[in-house]
Amino acid sequence: MANTYSKIYQHVVFAVRNRQALITEKFETPMYEYMSGIVTNQGQKLLIGNGHHDHVHLLMTCKPTCCLDQVVREVKEHTTKFINQNRLVPGKFQWQNGYGAFSVGHQNLDMIFNYIRKQKEHHTTVKFREEYLQLLKDAAVEYDEKYIFDELV
């Protein structure tokens, strides 16, 4: 559309099923590169992807026509296949249902970028559950705690 300009940043967070610590240094770089390709194929741009053993953070720019749910679904679906087909973890790899998505203003972009970049350091003192609940609180997202995480059954 003529004369339509935008810069929409999204911070997306999702976890490994049952928050299992399955993401290892062995494959995390290729996994994030793969995620970047998926995001790009969806017409968006991944600025940074990082996380810890049981979850990932993605910071991306999205076009106004972006269906974020579809982008996240594609990322999760295709990285699951990538990890399982290449046997990068013992057993079957799965992402947990759902995700958190938080809009980021341009003025906070560097702060969020660095926050994601320093995930491993951050998680030496903070557990993922605490981090995720704090992200929800900081963004004033209403939630029902019984639906925050799938639990081991």
Side-chain angles (χ1 to χ4, degrees):
M1 209 187 279
N3 299 319
T4 300
Y5 307 100
S6 70
K7 186 65 83 166
I8 302 168
Y9 300 102
Q10 293 286 340
H11 175 195
V12 177
V13 183
F14 52 90
V16 175
R17 173 74 43 99
N18 297 317
R19 293 174 306 203
Q20 293 180 287
L22 297 177
I23 301 171
T24 64
E25 289 182 25
K26 170 182 150 186
F27 71 87
E28 68 181 342
T29 298
M31 180 187 74
Y32 289 118
E33 289 171 354
Y34 198 77
M35 287 180 172
S36 181
I38 297 164
V39 170
T40 300
N41 287 340
Q42 292 292 311
Q44 316 314 315
K45 182 178 180 184
L46 184 63
L47 301 176
I48 187 171
N50 198 11
H52 201 49
H53 301 301
D54 60 352
H55 71 284
V56 300
H57 293 255
L58 306 176
L59 178 61
M60 62 183 92
T61 60
C62 298
K63 295 178 181 178
T65 56
C66 171
C67 175
L68 186 62
D69 192 59
Q70 180 179 339
V71 173
V72 175
R73 188 175 335 114
E74 291 286 321
V75 167
K76 290 168 78 173
E77 178 183 329
H78 291 289
T79 56
T80 297
K81 289 178 185 175
F82 172 77
I83 292 167
N84 286 326
Q85 287 175 350
N86 291 289
R87 298 178 182 196
L88 299 175
V89 300
K92 185 177 179 184
F93 181 88
Q94 289 182 293
W95 294 109
Q96 201 151 331
N97 292 327
Y99 58 91
F102 310 97
S103 59
V104 177
H106 187 76
Q107 66 278 11
N108 294 323
L109 186 62
D110 287 341
M111 178 184 72
I112 299 301
F113 186 94
N114 287 320
Y115 175 77
I116 293 171
R117 185 174 58 81
K118 296 179 179 179
Q119 275 294 292
K120 287 167 188 56
E121 178 182 323
H122 177 68
H123 286 290
T124 60
T125 58
V126 178
K127 293 183 185 218
F128 174 59
R129 182 181 185 86
E130 296 166 28
E131 174 189 48
Y132 192 67
L133 292 174
Q134 189 64 51
L135 287 169
L136 293 169
K137 180 180 175 186
D138 291 348
V141 174
E142 294 181 21
Y143 63 93
D144 184 335
E145 187 144 354
K146 71 181 178 181
Y147 298 114
I148 291 295
F149 295 110
D150 296 336
E151 299 296 334
L152 292 166
V153 267

